[in-house]
C-alpha cells in the first residue's frame, strides 16, 4: 500500500513521467482496493467516474503484483490504446521490467497462405479488389505483426480482407505451408510468454466457448483478470455461447469451395454445381425476407411457409455441398478444411432449425445483403460463474457505469457473481460549474407519432445557442433518419450522420469542423472520447429502453415473469439507466470541458421511475428554461 501511495504521489514515478500529472484521491483509493482484491484473490466490482484515471488505477497494482495479468477491453480501439499508449508510458514509470503482449482474434491478422491463394486464383476480381490485394501484398512483405489495423490504405471494413485473413473454419493449422511464419501463431506465442496480456471481450468469450467444447485454450491461465468496460461483457458473452449461422458464412464456404475446385478438383463438376446451387438458394431466401432490416422471433418464420421452405432448401443444398466436399476432401488439405467447415455448419444449422426447449431463444436478423439465424442461451449467469470457478484468479470488473442508484445488483446478477466486493468512486470533475442539464417543459410523449418533429423544435434553439458542437443521440435508426430529414435544411452548421462514412472518419471530421452536429445511435453512446469545445452539447431523444420487441429481450423478460420477478424494474430500468449514463458520459471528458445535456423525455419527471434516472445523472445544475442554456454558452 505504501508503494502505491508513493507511486501516485505528487513527486512519485507517475509525476516524473507524465507532464501535467495531478494526484487524484479516487485514483489512489481505487488502486489500493484493486491491490487488496489481488492479494486476497477476491472478485471486485470497481466503478470509476469519468476522469478518475481508472486505467492506471488497475494497471499499476496489477503489474506491481508480479502476477500474470489478463486485461480485457470492450473494443479493439481501446485495446490498441492500452497497449500502444498506456503500457509504454507505465514502462517508463515502473522500474521493474515486464513483458506485455497484444492478442486479437484470428481475423485481425494477415494470412499469407490465403493471400497467395487469392493472388493466384483464376476466379478474377474487380479492379478495386485487385488494387486492394496488391496493397495488402506489398504491406505483407514489410509488416512485423501482420495486424490489419496497421495498414492505412485498405480499411478494416473492406470485404477483400476475407481473402487475406483466416477464420477458425478455413485455417489449415499446422498443416499450412506458411505455418512457421504465421502472424497469428507468433502473436499467440507472445501471449503465452507475456506477464501482461491485453485482449478484448470478443476474444475472451471466444476462448471461453472453445474451452467448453474441449478444444483447448487460446489464452494463458492468468492470476489476475481485469475486465474493463465490464458493462458490455454480458451481451458479448451471450452472443458467443449461442450458435449463429449467417448467409455470409454459407456464402464464404461456397466461395472457398469454388476456389479449391478451380485449383485442384475440376474433375468433380458436381462440386462446382453444389457450391453454385447453395449460393443461388441463399439469394432466394434473402429476397424472401423482404427489404426491411430487422430482428424477429423464430415463430414469425414458422408462420411464413415461403421463408421456411427456402431455409429448408438451403439446408438441403448445404447437405449436398457437404457430400461433394467429402468426396473431394482426399485431394488436398484445402478441400479437407472446406469439408470440415461444411460438416460443422450442417450440425449448427440443424441445431438452430430443429432446436426446442426452454434453455434457448431462437431468432433471426435480416441485414442489407444477408441474414443470420441464431440460437442464444436464455441465461448466461450460471455458465459464467462456472467459467470463473475454473480459473481461480482475482477478477476485477471495472467501468464508469456498473451501478444503478448506487446498487450493483443488476450487473452482478447478469454474470452470476455471488457477493463480490463493490466500490464506487465519483468523477473528480466539477459538474455544477462545468455543465447544465436542460429538460424543457412541454415535451411530447415518446409514443406520440409526431414525437421527432416536435422534439426538433425544442432542439433547434439549443443548437443555435451552442453554435452546433453537438452529439444528437437516438435510440433508433428510424428516429435518426427522420431527424436528419428535418434538420438538413434548417441548420447553419455541418450535419454529420452515422452510417454516411466509417465511424473513425466521422469523428475526425467532427473534431476538425469544430461546429458540427453529429447524429448517432448505439455506437456513439459509448467508447467515444471528444475533448474540448468541439463537443459542447449532448442531446438524447428519449430514455434508452431496449425495444420490447427484440426477440432475445422479450424471451428473457417472459422468463423473469414466469419466475415471479418484475422484469421492468429488475431488468429494463437498470439496463436503460446504465445506457443513459454512458450517453451522458460523452459530454464532460476533461476538467476544462463545458457543456449542456438535454434529455427530451418527459417521463423523467412524469413517471415514478424517472427519479432512478435523475439519481444517476451527475450533479449538474438543472434548468427548464432555454434562457439558462443561452446564458451558459454566453458565459463560456
Amino acid at each position: 500500500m505504501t508503494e502505491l501511495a508513493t507511486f501516485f504521489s505528487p513527486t512519485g514515478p507517475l509525476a516524473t513521467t507524465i507532464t501535467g500529472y495531478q494526484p487524484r484521491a479516487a485514483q489512489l483509493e481505487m488502486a489500493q482496493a484493486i491491490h487488496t482484491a489481488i492479494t486476497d484473490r477476491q472478485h471486485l466490482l470497481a466503478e470509476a467516474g469519468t476522469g478518475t484515471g481508472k486505467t492506471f488505477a488497475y494497471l499499476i497494482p496489477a503489474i506491481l503484483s508480479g502476477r500474470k495479468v489478463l486485461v480485457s477491453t470492450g473494443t479493439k480501439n481501446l485495446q490498441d490504446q492500452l497497449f500502444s499508449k498506456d503500457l509504454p508510458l507505465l514502462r517508463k514509470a515502473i522500474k521493474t521490467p515486464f513483458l506485455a503482449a497484444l492478442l486479437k482474434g484470428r481475423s485481425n491478422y494477415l494470412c499469407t497462405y490465403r493471400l497467395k491463394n487469392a493472388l493466384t486464383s483464376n476466379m478474377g476480381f474487380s479492379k478495386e479488389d485487385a488494387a486492394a490485394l496488391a496493397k495488402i501484398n506489398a504491406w505483407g512483405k514489410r509488416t512485423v505483426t501482420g495486424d490489419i489495423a496497421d495498414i492505412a490504405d485498405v480499411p478494416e471494413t473492406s470485404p477483400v480482407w476475407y481473402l487475406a485473413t483466416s477464420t477458425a473454419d478455413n485455417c489449415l493449422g499446422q498443416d499450412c505451408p506458411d505455418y512457421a511464419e504465421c502472424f497469428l501463431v507468433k502473436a499467440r506465442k507472445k501471449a503465452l510468454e507475456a506477464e501482461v496480456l491485453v485482449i478484448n471481450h470478443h476474444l475472451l468469450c471466444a476462448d471461453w466457448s472453445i474451452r467448453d467444447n474441449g478444444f483447448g485454450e487460446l489464452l494463458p491461465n492468468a492470476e489476475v483478470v481485469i475486465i474493463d468496460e465490464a458493462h458490455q461483457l454480458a451481451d458479448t458473452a451471450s452472443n458467443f455461447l449461442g450458435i449463429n449461422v449467417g448467409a455470409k458464412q454459407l456464402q464464404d464456404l461456397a466461395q472457398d469451395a469454388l476456389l479449391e475446385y478451380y485449383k485442384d478438383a475440376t474433375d468433380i463438376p458436381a462440386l462446382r454445381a453444389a457450391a453454385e446451387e447453395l449460393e443461388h438458394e441463399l439469394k432466394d431466401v434473402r429476397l424472401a425476407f423482404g427489404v426491411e432490416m430487422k430482428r424477429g422471433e423464430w415463430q414469425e418464420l414458422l408462420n411464413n411457409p415461403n421463408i421456411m421452405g427456402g431455409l429448408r432448401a438451403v439446408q438441403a443444398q448445404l447437405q449436398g455441398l457437404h457430400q461433394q466436399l467429402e468426396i473431394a476432401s482426399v485431394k488436398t488439405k484445402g478441400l479437407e478444411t472446406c469439408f470440415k467447415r461444411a460438416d460443422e455448419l450442417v450440425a449448427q444449422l440443424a441445431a438452430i432449425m430443429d432446436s426446442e426447449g426452454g434453455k434457448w431463444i431462437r431468432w433471426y436478423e435480416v441485414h442489407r445483403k444477408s441474414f443470420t439465424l441464431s440460437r442464444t442461451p436464455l441465461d448466461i449467469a450460471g455458465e459464467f460463474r462456472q467459467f470463473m470457478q475454473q480459473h481461480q484468479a482475482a477478477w476485477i470488473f471495472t467501468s464508469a457505469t456498473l451501478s444503478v442508484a448506487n446498487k450493483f445488483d443488476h450487473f452482478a446478477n447478469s454474470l452470476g457473481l455471488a457477493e463480490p466486493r463493490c466500490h464506487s468512486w465519483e468523477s473528480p470533475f466539477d459538474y455544477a460549474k462545468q455543465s447544465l442539464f436542460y429538460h424543457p417543459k412541454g415535451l411530447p410523449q415518446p409514443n406520440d407519432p409526431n414525437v421527432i418533429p416536435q422534439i426538433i423544435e425544442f432542439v433547434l434553439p439549443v443548437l443555435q445557442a451552442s453554435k452546433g458542437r453537438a452529439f444528437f443521440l437516438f435510440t433508433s435508426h428510424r428516429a435518426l433518419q427522420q431527424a436528419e430529414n428535418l434538420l438538413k435544411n434548417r441548420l447553419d452548421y455541418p450535419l454529420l450522420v452515422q452510417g454516411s462514412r466509417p465511424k473513425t472518419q466521422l469523428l475526425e471530421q467532427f473534431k476538425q469542423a469544430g461546429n458540427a452536429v453529429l447524429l448517432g445511435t448505439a455506437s456513439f453512446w459509448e467508447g467515444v472520447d471528444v475533448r474540448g469545445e468541439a463537443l459542447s452539447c449532448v442531446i438524447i431523444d428519449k430514455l434508452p429502453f431496449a425495444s420490447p420487441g427484440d426477440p432475445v429481450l422479450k424471451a428473457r423478460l417472459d422468463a423473469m415473469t414466469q419466475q415471479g420477478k418484475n422484469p421492468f424494474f429488475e431488468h429494463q430500468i437498470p439496463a436503460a439507466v446504465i445506457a443513459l449514463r454512458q450517453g451522458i458520459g460523452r459530454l464532460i471528458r476533461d476538467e476544462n470541458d463545458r457543456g449542456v445535456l438535454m434529455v427530451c423525455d418527459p417521463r423523467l419527471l412524469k413517471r415514478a421511475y424517472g427519479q432512478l434516472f435523475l439519481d444517476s445523472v451527475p450533479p449538474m445544475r438543472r434548468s427548464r428554461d432555454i434562457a439558462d442554456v443561452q446564458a451558459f454558452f454566453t458565459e463560456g
Side-chain angles (χ1 to χ4, degrees):
M1 289 291 194
T2 306
E3 186 179 13
L4 285 176
T6 302
F7 212 94
F8 287 96
S9 73
T11 56
L14 278 185
T16 56
T17 306
I18 302 172
T19 305
Y21 170 77
Q22 293 181 339
R24 300 167 192 166
Q27 187 179 44
L28 174 58
E29 287 173 17
M30 181 177 171
Q32 290 170 332
I34 288 170
H35 167 80
T36 300
I38 291 171
T39 303
D40 298 345
R41 288 220 168 186
Q42 293 283 328
H43 304 329
L44 172 68
L45 308 188
E47 182 179 68
T50 308
T52 304
K54 67 179 169 67
T55 304
F56 285 176
Y58 67 66
L59 279 177
I60 289 168
I63 294 168
L64 292 177
S65 73
R67 304 185 188 190
K68 197 169 186 82
V69 179
L70 182 69
V71 181
S72 181
T73 66
T75 64
K76 288 184 288 186
N77 285 342
L78 287 172
Q79 192 183 358
D80 285 334
Q81 179 183 314
L82 203 126
F83 184 76
S84 303
K85 183 180 173 186
D86 298 329
L87 282 173
L89 203 153
L90 283 184
R91 188 169 270 113
K92 295 177 184 176
I94 294 175
K95 301 304 178 191
T96 309
F98 61 91
L99 190 62
L102 177 74
L103 184 62
K104 298 180 182 178
R106 180 193 302 274
S107 62
N108 293 279
Y109 297 95
L110 174 67
C111 174
T112 54
Y113 173 77
R114 282 181 59 78
L115 177 61
K116 287 175 194 170
N117 254 8
L119 291 170
T120 56
S121 165
N122 295 324
M123 288 184 69
F125 302 105
S126 68
K127 188 185 293 185
E128 293 79 7
D129 285 353
L133 284 170
K135 288 176 183 176
I136 293 170
N137 189 40
W139 167 76
K141 290 181 168 66
R142 61 179 185 270
T143 180
V144 176
T145 65
D147 187 336
I148 68 172
D150 295 341
I151 175 173
D153 295 348
V154 183
E156 286 184 60
T157 51
S158 171
V160 80
W161 276 116
Y162 175 72
L163 299 166
T165 57
S166 71
T167 65
D169 293 332
N170 59 33
C171 175
L172 301 183
Q174 294 187 26
D175 294 314
C176 178
D178 290 3
Y179 184 79
E181 298 303 316
C182 176
F183 291 113
L184 176 65
V185 171
K186 289 176 181 177
R188 287 184 175 174
K189 186 172 183 293
K190 285 182 179 177
L192 290 168
E193 295 167 351
E195 294 155 294
V196 180
L197 175 61
V198 183
I199 62 167
N200 57 61
H201 298 347
H202 283 84
L203 187 56
L204 176 74
C205 294
D207 187 44
W208 169 20
S209 60
I210 287 172
R211 292 182 205 210
D212 282 352
N213 292 331
F215 292 122
E217 296 181 6
L218 292 176
L219 307 174
N221 283 319
E223 297 167 279
V224 180
V225 180
I226 298 170
I227 310 293
D228 199 352
E229 299 301 319
H231 64 280
Q232 300 175 0
L233 183 61
D235 283 342
T236 306
S238 182
N239 291 334
F240 273 91
L241 287 177
I243 298 173
N244 304 289
V245 174
K248 187 176 185 313
Q249 276 174 285
L250 299 171
Q251 174 78 25
D252 289 346
L253 171 66
Q255 284 285 305
D256 285 346
L258 286 170
L259 269 172
E260 298 297 335
Y261 162 80
Y262 284 116
K263 196 168 66 162
D264 295 306
T266 49
D267 58 333
I268 310 178
L271 173 59
R272 175 184 172 180
E276 289 175 345
E277 283 166 15
L278 176 58
E279 288 183 310
H280 179 73
E281 290 294 350
L282 286 167
K283 287 174 184 171
D284 283 353
V285 175
R286 176 59 192 87
L287 286 172
F289 271 110
V291 295
E292 188 183 358
M293 290 181 280
K294 62 173 185 172
R295 287 158 64 109
E297 296 179 73
W298 194 260
Q299 190 60 44
E300 294 174 28
L301 302 187
L302 295 176
N303 294 340
N304 189 321
N306 191 23
I307 293 177
M308 250 355 250
L311 290 174
R312 290 297 179 193
V314 165
Q315 201 172 9
Q317 292 300 344
L318 176 61
Q319 191 68 51
L321 179 58
H322 174 261
Q323 289 168 358
Q324 293 305 317
L325 284 168
E326 185 173 18
I327 294 166
S329 62
V330 294
K331 285 180 168 287
T332 66
K333 189 65 186 175
L335 284 161
E336 183 188 344
T337 301
C338 283
F339 167 62
K340 287 178 180 175
R341 284 167 66 187
D343 200 46
E344 189 169 342
L345 284 167
V346 164
Q348 289 179 335
L349 188 55
I352 295 171
M353 296 284 286
D354 306 316
S355 178
E356 292 295 341
K359 272 184 69 177
W360 303 101
I361 305 160
R362 288 192 294 166
W363 54 285
Y364 71 92
E365 185 165 13
V366 183
H367 315 288
R368 197 154 54 94
K369 294 182 178 178
S370 64
F371 61 88
T372 307
L373 309 176
S374 300
R375 190 183 80 166
T376 301
L378 190 60
D379 179 35
I380 66 154
E383 294 198 48
F384 191 79
R385 185 164 53 243
Q386 288 177 7
F387 175 56
M388 288 178 65
Q389 287 168 352
Q390 289 168 13
H391 303 278
Q392 293 299 313
W395 286 74
I396 315 294
F397 300 88
T398 185
S399 168
T401 55
L402 293 180
S403 69
V404 176
N406 298 315
K407 293 184 178 179
F408 292 82
D409 299 10
H410 174 71
F411 176 79
N413 292 339
S414 71
L415 293 176
L417 305 177
E419 299 182 3
R421 292 182 184 178
C422 302
H423 287 287
S424 184
W425 292 273
E426 294 290 337
S427 167
F429 300 148
D430 189 344
Y431 283 98
K433 284 187 178 178
Q434 292 178 247
S435 59
L436 177 71
F437 180 13
Y438 175 52
H439 184 62
K441 296 175 183 176
L443 287 165
Q445 290 296 327
N447 58 359
D448 188 316
N450 293 312
V451 63
I452 294 299
Q454 291 180 66
I455 281 175
I456 293 297
E457 299 308 316
F458 285 94
V459 165
L460 280 168
V462 175
L463 293 177
Q464 291 299 329
S466 68
K467 297 183 172 63
R469 304 186 297 162
F471 273 10
F472 194 170
L473 302 177
F474 298 86
T475 53
S476 74
H477 286 280
R478 186 176 296 170
L480 181 150
Q481 288 161 3
Q482 197 177 358
E484 179 190 3
N485 291 331
L486 292 165
L487 285 171
K488 59 187 175 186
N489 296 319
R490 298 185 67 185
L491 276 183
D492 299 325
Y493 311 106
L495 185 65
L496 307 178
V497 183
Q498 179 182 332
S500 61
R501 61 193 60 198
K503 181 178 175 181
T504 50
Q505 287 183 25
L506 268 183
L507 280 173
E508 193 54 41
Q509 194 176 349
F510 180 85
K511 292 173 186 176
Q512 292 292 328
N515 66 342
V517 176
L518 188 149
L519 309 186
T521 58
S523 65
F524 281 90
W525 281 67
E526 56 181 286
V528 176
D529 190 4
V530 180
R531 302 183 185 210
E533 293 185 356
L535 179 56
S536 298
C537 183
V538 169
I539 302 167
I540 292 172
D541 72 332
K542 65 178 181 177
L543 298 178
F545 286 104
S547 168
D550 180 87
V552 178
L553 177 63
K554 185 175 182 297
R556 287 180 176 152
L557 298 182
D558 289 345
M560 290 180 76
T561 301
Q562 289 168 15
Q563 293 162 13
K565 297 177 179 177
N566 185 322
F568 184 65
F569 281 95
E570 294 184 46
H571 182 86
Q572 288 171 282
I573 287 178
V577 168
I578 286 172
L580 180 67
R581 292 181 66 198
Q582 280 292 329
I584 292 170
R586 299 316 99 215
L587 183 62
I588 305 296
R589 305 298 299 173
D590 188 271
E591 58 202 14
N592 297 315
D593 281 356
R594 295 180 80 253
V596 166
L597 166 70
M598 179 182 185
V599 180
C600 306
D601 193 327
R603 292 175 294 180
L604 273 175
L605 297 177
K606 294 189 175 179
R607 294 286 187 275
Y609 60 75
Q611 194 60 44
L612 274 170
F613 288 91
L614 290 171
D615 289 345
S616 300
V617 173
M620 302 173 166
R621 282 184 287 158
R622 297 180 184 179
S623 174
R624 309 199 74 188
D625 190 342
I626 186 63
D628 289 331
V629 175
Q630 292 161 342
F632 179 90
F633 284 116
T634 304
E635 292 163 12

